[in-house]
Amino acid sequence: MEKTIYFDHAATTPVRPEVLEAMLPFFTEKFGNPSTIYSYGRESKKYIEDARDKVAKALGAQSKEIFFTGSGTEADNWAIKGVAYANRKKGNHIITTSIEHHAVLHTCNFLEKEGFEVTYLPVDKDGLVDPEQVREAIKPETILISVMFANNEIGTIQPISEIGKIAKEKGIIFHTDAVQAVGSVNVNVEELNVDLLSLSAHKFYGPKGVGALYIRRGTKITSFMHGGAQERGKRASTENVPGIVGLGKAIELATANIEGNAKYVKRLRDRIIDEVLNTIPYVRLNGHREKRLPGNINFSFEFIEGESLLLLLDMKGIAASSGSACTSGSLDPSHVLLAIGLPHEIAHGSLRITLGPDNTDEEVDYFLSVLPEIVGRLREMSPLYEAVKNKNKSKK
Amino acid sequence: MASKKVMVGMSGGVDSSVAAALLLEKGYDVIGVTMHMWEDPTTEDVREDACCSLSAVEDARRVANKLKIPHYVLNFKDIFKKTIVDYFIDEYLKGRTPNPCIACNKFIKFGIFIEKALSMNIDYVATGHYARIVYDNDKERYLLKKALTKEKDQSYVLYNIKKENLSRVLFPIGDYDKNEVRNLAKKYELPVATKPDSQEICFIQDNDYAGFINRIAKENIKPGYFVDTKGNILGEHKGIINYTIGQRKGLGISFGKPMYVVRIDSKNNQVVLGDAEDLFSTELIAEDVNFLSIDSLEEPLKVNAKIRYSAKESPATIYPLEEGKVKVIFEQPQRAITPGQSVVFYDGDIVVGGGIIS
């Protein structure tokens, strides 16, 4: 393989050198347990609080509203289960959407087995949730609304601020899974009217294994891990100091040049979208054309299985994905694509490309030069495509 | 010249791991693939041993890493459910005893897997089956043959590969026996060298096929009567799926003499019991027949035929019937000829063809 091109930034990103540098001392010389009183520990504690300040600043929150977790998935689990259990006496109804990440969907499925009732709101063909449908779904028993900020597969950005306004008006706790958004677009908890927000460091050039949950002060939520007094007793366990420091540094760097990066990535994104839609027939762009993450592209190629497409791209050195990858690395038809109304066979044939500021125009050129040939080859083998071609011929 | 590309189906077991290593040694450009086929929707247990479990994927990946070959997981869950699991359940509900591995080889391993490979410009597919494919210069065709060591031979389950696909399939371990394969695994330092063989149906836990069908198709399973060969009612059975031809144990009634299941009558939901001699028969009809060493059967042909995986071959003559069916007449009576199982015809080492017993 001559070159490798990384087009899967929604899956994860590399740790930036500055982030790694900031983390390194905390593996060795600054190894103290933050809960201790001697100088080693105090120093670790100080850096954790610095990181907390940085996250708070990036989100427009207060430092004491930031709680570090082991991942974005953990933050989602905590937000949803924590609110559900703490507010059980008040009601048992939760509103979410059909296109959430599995960290939210499967947590809601679990709560259904525990006696909670969950409404999964539909989305339109672009993947947008209608805030009015959220309002209509609210019942006296509703205790939580959870709507993702931006979708991990199709990149559609939801009207979070509007939904937040409705939740606020009705006095219902509002959570957003912002794992895909933080670091790519501006996220401000006040403007968004959210009470809880999940994020994950490795999506914005930070390390894996660390995330955070923003919890607006006064929000009723149970503790997630029971044990020591870490994270103000709400999420016990010895802090992942290097990870937390890395998260702090990464969010600081990502937000420092967020507009510039977004503009750059968006230009690459639009180059790909425009050229592919113009040059390859039977392609559909999934997700909203404008209201989408700057780096997200999601195509469906009719008559092709996404799996074969990804393998051939990989053989050409291009790392892309087909939406969400399951533990085995095999692909199921995406629940998101099914929710925006794609038929089963087309939902199987999707390609997700997610760009980051480290991608270049040359990489985009290379991708655009190999894609048509791969799509053409796979279609040549497809009996369905053959049938369509013949039909078109006979029309002429 | 660039080396030929081969996709090898890797289950994470010893056989397919060694197959991959041997291909690599022969100079092929090897791509490892694990076929993801099944997740039991009705159980939350984590399966450890089966070829379709997650740990199988991880084992295969470990082997691929060791061999430094790319490894992919292909999702065949939909087609596997349709062509294997649903078929398996349907057959039992019809009172037949299917062989799901044969169906899997036809539709998945030497069906869609080959199609996928071709669409990706791959020259061959390979698996860790004990069998051989050789080109016969006189007959000017590829032949499917038994493995060199007969004890492990798996040609029986491979008879319905399409003949035009024989030239695209490689069986790298067909020249070895199990001990040699284990030794090769050690030699190549493959992390699965000591893994036990899988024996069961891959999508069924603890070999409890009846429990599996019960969980999935409960509403279609109804108790009925055991009857004797003359139609007299002998007692009540728990649903025909629980029985197979030749079965003696687990009938739940004692008769004072050994009684065997000799026929299953799905139309009347009856299980027919008889004596040991009622189990013997000299002929059968095979349908869904695939021929490999000949293009089609035009006149009677003497073969050795085998009526189940564990049965011994027995001399027989096969006769062409209408609609591609074949009549098989054995020289010696065969015990417990079972509808749904396959009969495979051999000419010495060569697989002539086979079909499903109707």
Side-chain angles (χ1 to χ4, degrees), chain A residues 131-376:
Chain A
E132 279 317 302
Q133 286 198 335
V134 177
R135 188 193 294 279
E136 284 159 25
I138 294 172
K139 307 199 273 193
E141 301 80 35
T142 308
I143 50 174
L144 173 68
I145 299 169
S146 178
V147 177
M148 75 196 317
F149 190 108
N151 185 267
N152 50 309
E153 294 185 36
I154 57 172
T156 299
I157 295 175
Q158 301 296 346
I160 294 299
S161 164
E162 270 179 78
I163 298 168
K165 217 181 276 170
I166 294 167
K168 206 177 199 176
E169 211 175 277
K170 301 276 184 180
I172 297 165
I173 298 172
F174 181 38
H175 166 248
T176 189
D177 169 355
V179 165
Q180 291 292 335
V182 171
S184 294
V185 291
N186 276 315
V187 173
N188 182 295
V189 292
E190 291 310 322
E191 287 166 16
L192 294 174
N193 301 308
V194 295
D195 301 306
L196 299 150
L197 180 145
S198 312
L199 62 90
S200 173
H202 75 102
K203 304 292 189 186
F204 47 85
Y205 300 85
K208 293 166 185 65
V210 60
L213 181 63
Y214 157 78
I215 307 177
R216 184 181 292 277
R217 61 200 173 287
T219 304
K220 239 180 126 183
I221 186 166
T222 58
S223 299
F224 191 66
M225 297 278 247
H226 302 93
Q230 296 90 351
E231 299 304 289
R232 299 165 67 224
K234 287 208 165 302
R235 201 273 185 190
S237 73
T238 299
E239 295 89 339
N240 170 8
V241 183
I244 289 169
V245 169
L247 191 163
K249 188 71 189 172
I251 204 167
E252 184 181 52
L253 292 170
T255 44
N257 189 21
I258 202 159
E259 310 278 345
N261 283 342
K263 203 175 149 205
Y264 173 77
V265 170
K266 206 182 255 177
R267 187 178 60 76
L268 296 181
R269 176 194 80 183
D270 291 342
R271 271 194 66 199
I272 295 179
I273 292 179
D274 291 342
E275 173 141 351
V276 169
L277 291 181
N278 284 332
T279 57
I280 301 180
Y282 303 107
V283 182
R284 188 202 131 105
L285 177 72
N286 298 311
H288 197 280
R289 182 63 184 86
E290 280 87 35
K291 293 175 191 164
R292 75 186 305 138
L293 288 171
N296 175 287
I297 301 162
N298 188 309
F299 291 123
S300 284
F301 295 90
E302 283 185 60
F303 322 113
I304 285 184
E305 283 203 30
E307 215 162 55
S308 312
L309 186 58
L310 291 183
L311 261 63
L312 287 175
L313 284 172
D314 184 43
M315 290 174 194
K316 293 273 184 195
I318 297 167
S321 87
S322 160
S324 57
C326 99
T327 39
S328 70
S330 82
L331 308 170
D332 278 324
S334 141
H335 68 282
V336 176
L337 297 183
L338 294 174
I340 61 173
L342 258 58
H344 203 270
E345 66 277 9
I346 298 180
H348 248 304
S350 75
L351 171 68
R352 181 185 74 175
I353 293 160
T354 45
L355 307 167
D358 50 323
N359 288 127
T360 63
D361 275 294
E362 288 70 40
E363 291 175 334
V364 170
D365 291 341
Y366 175 70
F367 170 72
L368 290 173
S369 74
V370 299
L371 183 70
E373 183 198 317
I374 292 174
V375 171

Side-chain angles (χ1 to χ4, degrees), chain B residues 145-162:
Chain B
K145 289 187 167 188
K146 291 180 192 167
L148 272 190
T149 345
K150 303 294 170 276
E151 299 77 57
K152 222 12 204 166
D153 172 51
Q154 292 175 316
S155 59
Y156 172 84
V157 294
L158 298 167
Y159 75 86
N160 60 17
I161 300 179
K162 287 186 198 151

Side-chain angles (χ1 to χ4, degrees), chain A residues 307 314 328 330-332 377, chain B residues 36 61 72-73 75 118:
Chain A
E307 215 162 55
D314 184 43
S328 70
S330 82
L331 308 170
D332 278 324
R377 160 149 197 98
Chain B
H36 191 211
R61 200 169 276 153
Y72 300 101
V73 181
N75 183 339
L118 290 179

Side-chain angles (χ1 to χ4, degrees), chain B residues 267-314:
Chain B
K267 217 167 75 194
N268 297 310
N269 196 32
Q270 286 182 340
V271 175
V272 184
L273 304 181
D275 300 325
E277 55 265 34
D278 295 329
L279 276 175
F280 285 86
S281 169
T282 52
E283 60 177 78
L284 63 87
I285 307 278
E287 57 193 11
D288 200 4
V289 176
N290 186 48
F291 283 110
L292 288 173
S293 70
I294 54 176
D295 289 326
S296 60
L297 185 67
E298 304 296 342
E299 50 193 30
L301 182 70
K302 277 191 176 288
V303 295
N304 290 315
K306 172 164 159 155
I307 57 164
R308 68 165 59 82
Y309 188 69
S310 58
K312 279 209 175 78
E313 288 166 34
S314 189

